[in-house]
Amino acid sequence: MRFEEILDDVGGFSRFQFMILLILCLPRAILPLHFLLHNFVSATPSHRCALTSPDYGDGLSSSAEPRSLALRIPRQEDGSFSSCRLYDPPLSLDFDQSNMTAPCLHGWIYDQSQFSSTTATEWDLVCDDKQLNQALATYFFLGVTFGAILFGQLSDKFGRKSMLLVALLFSSMLGVTSAFSTSYVMFAVSRALCGVALSGLSIIGVVLGIEWTDVKHRTFTGTVMSLSWSAGNMLLALMAYFIRDWRHLTLAVTAPCTAAIIAWWWLPESARWLLANGRIEEAKKYLVQCAKMNGKNEYTSKLDSETLGKVTVSEVAKKTHSYLDLVKTPQLRKITLCSGLFWFAVAFLYYGISFRISGFGVSIYLTQFIYGAIEAPAKIFTFFVLNWIGRRNGQAWFLITTGALIGINTVIPFEYTMLRMCIAVVSKGFSEAAFTTAFLYTAELFPTVLRSDAMCR
């Protein structure tokens, strides 16, 4: 007997599965709060060189007159003051342009109209050091990459539920550590490690949700879970709008981990994984629990150890699996290579759009919110399209459409801000459709014992 038959008997998609989805949606909603946090905590506000004389005030909107500043700070081509240079020595009253410029000698003055503080203003990561600020996102996603490899292996070895708790605990601790960082290095390291833990939430949540759902409802399950990502995306925009200090914002996006840890206690382990690893009695406990909650009490008597033992033998050989198994057979090599390529394209497109929230003529908070809002109809669209044209065709056309829209936007002049904004929003929707399809498609392509390993690539 196959596991799918047992799951159908105890209820493959009913109240028990809805409870699991509800619990898993919480950690799923936490992910965009951290994955896209860089847009706000590491934003670089307008700035200029600080001047030695106190007469020039403390900010860009201070009492310093433009004519006075013009004697000390050169102007750029667009007429604004330079962010990184000043005249040394200052210009004379006849505006002798032969004076030389020099880097900012006394730090910078930052515009605080939009952000009270960011990592850029905290450690002066501007001008020659701006690459250090931009690198923070790179460090985080390097952590995400390593975490995918780590938690993919650990969840296949030690179970979905236990590793989900580990990921939640470390996400909470490292999120708090990031908020209280006293140096750039401390923040970079804690954010990278936080990315490791958050990657575990991403992979394990999707796998656990799908393994408790029957085949015909997996598309719906994947869509519902991904909707919580969109909710978190919009929530980030609201939180960033009301919390303008980077430390406070980092703490705020970490706080929901506490609720997720509490909800974890009601989450069942994957019965499919338990059977695949020979833990028959534990699998029986959760399957009976599922049958009772779904009103299938008459099937509990059929869940004897002998029957479940046969399922275990038929589904998996008694061996330890590793990443090498992903390329062991010609078919698995083909699947691994192709899914790895479309995952690269999906992530490249999605995050490339997501980290571009300025330059559209509207507030960055509104852009972030719209980017999150467009994902909801995109996911619903994905649900119906995948049932119509299938996973493979859907994945291909979502990627092609996203790439085409980005190409169109690159040739539109910058003065057409509204048109560029509309195309960017539509491309964001298609990129999310590609992302949703990728998670669902990959989870269905690989067997249970390799599923988490495959999802981490």
Side-chain angles (χ1 to χ4, degrees):
M1 178 180 287
R2 300 174 66 247
F3 179 80
E4 283 73 17
E5 298 175 40
I6 295 177
L7 192 59
D8 286 336
D9 289 341
V10 299
F13 196 71
S14 191
R15 284 176 291 180
F16 187 77
Q17 281 72 22
F18 275 106
M19 178 196 73
I20 295 173
L21 282 180
L22 183 62
I23 295 173
L24 291 178
C25 278
L26 187 52
R28 190 74 184 162
I30 293 172
L31 293 175
L33 299 180
H34 283 273
F35 275 59
L36 303 177
L37 185 62
H38 180 82
N39 278 338
F40 303 102
V41 299
S42 296
T44 303
S46 300
H47 55 280
R48 63 164 172 83
C49 294
L51 305 175
T52 55
S53 173
D55 295 337
Y56 290 98
D58 297 321
L60 285 171
S61 59
S62 69
S63 59
E65 296 181 0
R67 286 189 301 176
S68 300
L69 289 175
L71 296 174
R72 302 295 304 276
I73 303 175
R75 290 186 182 274
Q76 302 178 108
E77 292 182 1
D78 61 0
S80 62
F81 288 110
S82 173
S83 299
C84 303
R85 309 287 295 184
L86 50 71
Y87 288 119
D88 186 30
L91 286 178
S92 59
L93 292 177
D94 62 358
F95 288 84
D96 182 4
Q97 295 301 314
S98 63
N99 285 271
M100 302 295 292
T101 62
C104 299
L105 303 175
H106 306 285
W108 289 263
I109 299 295
Y110 297 96
D111 179 9
Q112 294 186 326
S113 61
Q114 193 165 54
F115 302 100
S116 61
S117 70
T118 67
T119 57
T121 65
E122 181 85 11
W123 296 298
D124 286 333
L125 304 177
V126 294
C127 297
D128 291 340
D129 291 330
K130 66 180 180 181
Q131 292 86 355
L132 294 176
N133 195 46
Q134 296 166 349
L136 290 172
T138 303
Y139 299 147
F140 175 80
F141 281 100
L142 284 174
V144 170
T145 303
F146 179 74
I149 298 171
L150 177 66
F151 278 96
Q153 188 73 26
L154 291 177
S155 64
D156 280 339
K157 185 175 183 180
F158 298 106
R160 316 318 193 195
K161 183 179 179 180
S162 58
M163 287 300 103
L164 184 63
L165 178 60
V166 170
L168 282 168
L169 290 173
F170 275 95
S171 296
S172 302
M173 292 187 293
L174 291 165
V176 173
T177 303
S178 299
F180 288 99
S181 296
T182 56
S183 68
Y184 172 82
V185 173
M186 181 179 177
F187 181 75
V189 171
S190 58
R191 280 289 289 167
L193 293 176
C194 189
V196 174
L198 289 166
S199 188
L201 294 187
S202 176
I203 293 172
I204 298 170
V206 172
V207 170
L208 185 56
I210 287 178
E211 288 184 344
W212 268 111
T213 307
D214 58 23
V215 175
K216 62 183 178 181
H217 289 104
R218 283 179 178 175
T219 304
F220 179 79
T221 298
T223 304
V224 170
M225 289 183 64
S226 63
L227 281 171
S228 59
W229 172 286
S230 302
N233 217 336
M234 291 184 282
L235 179 61
L236 175 61
L238 296 174
M239 295 174 76
Y241 179 80
F242 289 107
I243 306 173
R244 303 298 180 94
D245 179 88
W246 74 271
R247 294 184 186 274
H248 296 160
L249 181 58
T250 303
L251 283 175
V253 300
T254 304
C257 289
T258 304
I261 291 172
I262 295 173
W264 173 88
W265 294 99
W266 286 273
L267 192 66
E269 178 58 276
S270 167
R272 189 189 298 264
W273 178 86
L274 289 170
L275 288 174
N277 285 272
R279 295 163 64 171
I280 298 172
E281 292 304 317
E282 292 178 68
K284 179 180 177 181
K285 180 186 75 173
Y286 289 119
L287 287 169
V288 168
Q289 204 176 81
C290 175
K292 289 181 177 179
M293 183 174 289
N294 291 341
K296 303 281 188 177
N297 294 314
E298 65 274 15
Y299 290 102
T300 57
S301 59
K302 298 181 180 179
L303 299 174
D304 57 88
S305 299
E306 183 179 353
T307 302
L308 296 178
K310 293 178 181 178
V311 173
T312 304
V313 173
S314 64
E315 283 215 344
V316 60
K318 302 289 186 177
K319 60 169 287 187
T320 300
H321 296 271
S322 69
Y323 291 105
L324 294 177
D325 291 310
L326 295 174
V327 293
K328 188 173 183 180
T329 67
Q331 184 66 12
L332 277 175
R333 282 195 294 271
K334 178 183 176 182
I335 293 174
T336 300
L337 176 62
C338 291
S339 60
L341 289 174
F342 72 66
W343 260 114
F344 174 80
V346 165
F348 194 80
L349 290 172
Y350 180 85
Y351 288 109
I353 297 172
S354 298
F355 284 123
R356 178 67 174 176
I357 59 174
S358 60
F360 295 109
V362 297
S363 163
I364 60 172
Y365 305 102
L366 180 58
T367 303
Q368 176 72 32
F369 188 86
I370 294 174
Y371 273 179
I374 192 62
E375 291 183 1
K379 288 176 171 65
I380 297 173
F381 172 74
T382 303
F383 172 71
F384 290 105
V385 168
L386 291 183
N387 284 333
W388 177 38
I389 65 175
R391 275 62 160 156
R392 185 176 64 173
N393 291 333
Q395 186 73 77
W397 281 110
F398 290 150
L399 288 172
I400 291 170
T401 305
T402 304
L405 289 171
I406 292 176
I408 292 172
N409 228 7
T410 59
V411 299
I412 297 177
F414 284 100
E415 53 265 27
Y416 295 97
T417 54
M418 189 53 63
L419 177 60
R420 295 183 73 250
M421 178 66 181
C422 291
I423 294 177
V425 169
V426 175
S427 64
K428 180 67 185 319
F430 276 102
S431 72
E432 175 55 38
F435 219 125
T436 302
T437 305
F439 264 112
L440 185 63
Y441 196 17
T442 309
E444 292 178 347
L445 282 173
F446 292 90
T448 302
V449 291
L450 295 176
R451 187 166 291 129
S452 290
D453 284 344
M455 292 287 285
C456 80
R457 289 188 323 283

